[in-house]
Amino acid sequence: MKMPLQAKHLQEIIHRSNEEYYKKMVEEITDYAIFLLDPAGIIRTWNKGAERIKGYTSEEIIGQHFRIFYTPADRKKGLPEKLLQQAVTFGKTNMEGWRVRKDGTTFWANIVITALHDNTGNNIGFTKITKDLTDRKLMEDVRQLAQKNKELEQLVYITSHDLQEPLSSITGFANILEQYYKGQLDEDGRKYLHYLTQSCAHMSNLIKALLDYSLIGRERKLERVDCNQLVSEVTGNLYHAIHENSAKIIVGELPKLDANFIELELLFQNLIGNAIKFRKKDISPEITIKASKRNDVWEFSIHDNGIGIDEKFQEKIFNIFQRLHNKSEFEGTGIGLAHCKKIVSLYGGNIWVESTPGEGSTFHFTLPCD
Ligand code: ADP
């Protein structure tokens, strides 16, 4: 039966307005970037979500190849082209990965590309739907990192704890040799025994340092800490080093904050102790300790007139067991600054050094204000 002309016209209007509705609906969506690609991957449509997530207006982006959203490494691997091939082969493809916005920043994208076909089955292009999941990804990464850190710390604790026992038997036997059999050894034998006991003592210090490191932050009680009083206790603990080196310590007005006293004591003691230890031979150490408020943190600085640190080591020294000198030059295990870094990061702060070799160093660290 032939449709009356009026009805046909009406159906056409409905059909056209449906198309308009669909177009409008897709255009107005802001949560998802939704757009069409032609079979070669050229962008043909653009919606508000795409503009929000990727930062381009439709005038800027329509007509460009969609590889523009991919990182140089992914482009080199031919990832955009591979995704289109997969969509053609399987009808659809999806993945998650870092993509690039117009301003060069990256976001974590969840994408679905669906191949479109005409009535005869020819590929006529693709729809691409992208969701920005950066917040979720970052939260997941932080959670995973925290978990990995916890596992590592547990491992350090267990190994350092378990290493103590065999080491103490070795030390015990070395002591027996020293006490009862030394007389039966020739000069070489006595020399080797001396090295053995020395190495045992060194290893015991390292293991103890590792164990202490793994224990930092395990049981934390926060209290009101007056940093002026704390620094005066620390200088008391360091009395011998200060006295022997005729060190002068100038302390500015320091704040009170909520913190764990023992952690801050260890932090200041390591930094002030280093400022005295890494002194120049010809001048006595002069150390200035200050604090100032910057936005919402206290920035502390400990300045010395010591040997200084070459720029290329200024980050490395905060790693565990990283030392720039051997034990005969300066005593130490190389864990002090790793302790400092761990303590400061427990408070969400930073620690860094500015230094000129031969002139001195300033260690800075931040702790939160109330
Ligand atoms: P340690 O003092 O046991 O060697 P640290 O972790 O405290 O270990 O320091 C690591 C290295 O950083 C030191 O061996 C030294 O080379 C360098 N360093 C630390 N503090 C200073 C300082 N105030 N002046 C010069 N060098 C320093």
Side-chain angles (χ1 to χ4, degrees):
M1 199 180 73
K2 241 180 133 193
M3 203 183 280
L5 205 62
Q6 257 181 338
K8 205 173 163 193
H9 189 58
L10 188 66
Q11 207 174 40
E12 218 168 79
I13 291 172
I14 292 170
H15 181 68
R16 219 183 305 143
S17 61
N18 268 347
E19 261 182 24
E20 281 294 307
Y21 271 130
Y22 274 119
K23 204 164 157 253
K24 265 265 154 273
M25 182 178 83
V26 172
E27 266 174 15
E28 295 293 319
I29 285 174
T30 53
D31 279 356
Y32 292 87
I34 305 177
F35 50 96
L36 287 172
L37 303 176
D38 74 8
I42 305 294
I43 299 158
R44 292 297 174 208
T45 67
W46 199 240
N47 78 337
K48 284 195 175 158
E51 184 169 339
R52 181 184 69 81
I53 294 173
K54 295 170 194 270
Y56 297 93
T57 62
S58 52
E59 290 78 28
E60 286 168 334
I61 200 72
I62 289 178
Q64 303 232 40
H65 195 278
F66 85 112
R67 74 167 73 87
I68 196 166
F69 310 127
Y70 288 73
T71 61
D74 282 346
R75 280 194 230 175
K76 218 166 153 196
K77 281 190 266 174
L79 183 67
E81 293 75 14
K82 274 186 202 150
L83 288 172
L84 293 191
Q85 276 164 18
Q86 278 173 13
V88 169
T89 314
F90 303 108
K92 177 167 128 171
T93 186
N94 46 22
M95 74 165 295
E96 290 196 0
W98 290 108
R99 297 289 179 270
V100 185
R101 296 191 187 97
K102 183 186 163 189
D103 64 7
T105 55
T106 49
F107 65 99
W108 185 257
N110 171 298
I111 64 157
V112 181
I113 300 179
T114 312
L116 302 172
H117 300 98
D118 64 11
N119 293 339
T120 55
N122 290 323
N123 174 252
I124 52 165
F126 304 88
T127 57
K128 185 163 186 280
I129 303 180
T130 304
K131 192 163 169 61
D132 179 355
L133 294 180
T134 310
D135 290 346
R136 194 205 68 186
K137 169 77 178 155
L138 292 181
M139 261 165 62
E140 228 170 65
D141 286 356
V142 168
R143 198 185 50 77
Q144 272 181 13
L145 200 68
Q147 179 65 22
K148 275 263 155 324
N149 263 342
K150 235 172 137 181
E151 282 169 17
L152 269 175
E153 256 165 40
Q154 190 63 14
L155 186 76
V156 170
Y157 173 74
I158 292 170
T159 42
S160 48
H161 185 265
D162 290 3
L163 281 175
Q164 278 182 325
E165 201 198 290
L167 179 65
S168 90
S169 345
I170 298 172
T171 312
F173 286 120
N175 287 342
I176 292 174
L177 282 177
E178 182 102 32
Q179 267 186 8
Y180 302 106
Y181 298 91
K182 207 171 170 179
Q184 297 173 35
L185 295 172
D186 63 9
E187 200 179 320
D188 276 351
R190 285 200 294 274
K191 198 165 70 189
Y192 299 144
L193 185 57
H194 174 68
Y195 291 151
L196 178 65
T197 42
Q198 245 187 357
S199 297
C200 282
H202 182 49
M203 193 163 170
S204 161
N205 281 340
L206 290 180
I207 291 176
K208 194 180 163 313
L210 258 186
L211 196 60
D212 287 346
Y213 180 81
S214 73
L215 289 174
I216 291 176
R218 278 217 166 183
E219 275 170 35
R220 308 185 66 212
K221 209 175 94 228
L222 298 192
E223 57 193 308
R224 198 72 183 155
V225 177
D226 179 349
C227 293
N228 301 290
Q229 189 206 331
L230 181 123
V231 168
S232 103
E233 278 194 33
V234 168
T235 49
N237 298 343
L238 293 170
Y239 175 79
H240 283 295
I242 294 173
H243 199 67
E244 269 172 22
N245 291 283
S246 315
K248 190 169 159 198
I249 302 192
I250 304 149
V251 188
E253 184 57 30
L254 303 179
K256 291 190 181 75
L257 31 92
D258 289 332
N260 179 283
F261 191 91
I262 295 178
E263 287 167 6
L264 291 203
E265 190 181 26
L266 193 58
L267 173 65
F268 277 97
Q269 192 149 320
N270 276 318
L271 294 174
I272 302 171
N274 279 350
I276 302 170
K277 180 164 67 170
F278 297 104
R279 59 170 288 185
K280 281 190 287 201
K281 286 204 173 74
D282 46 341
I283 12 171
S284 8
E286 192 169 301
I287 298 151
T288 315
I289 304 168
K290 286 196 237 170
S292 59
K293 212 171 191 172
R294 296 221 190 291
N295 302 322
D296 54 350
V297 292
W298 284 107
E299 186 178 316
F300 291 80
S301 65
I302 298 182
H303 173 76
D304 67 53
N305 58 348
I307 57 171
I309 304 159
D310 195 314
E311 199 180 339
K312 60 176 183 284
F313 301 120
Q314 288 177 9
E315 269 188 46
K316 250 190 176 170
I317 50 170
F318 294 98
N319 295 339
I320 205 160
F321 296 142
Q322 284 288 339
R323 308 201 68 219
L324 309 180
H325 311 274
N326 59 34
K327 271 180 62 193
S328 62
E329 272 182 289
F330 295 100
E331 264 298 316
T333 53
I335 206 161
L337 290 179
H339 274 160
C340 294
K341 188 170 175 181
K342 189 170 173 193
I343 292 168
V344 170
S345 54
L346 285 174
Y347 295 88
N350 284 321
I351 183 164
W352 68 101
V353 66
E354 283 170 338
S355 180
T356 311
E359 283 186 23
S361 312
T362 310
F363 281 82
H364 301 265
F365 62 88
T366 56
L367 292 174
C369 289
D370 301 329

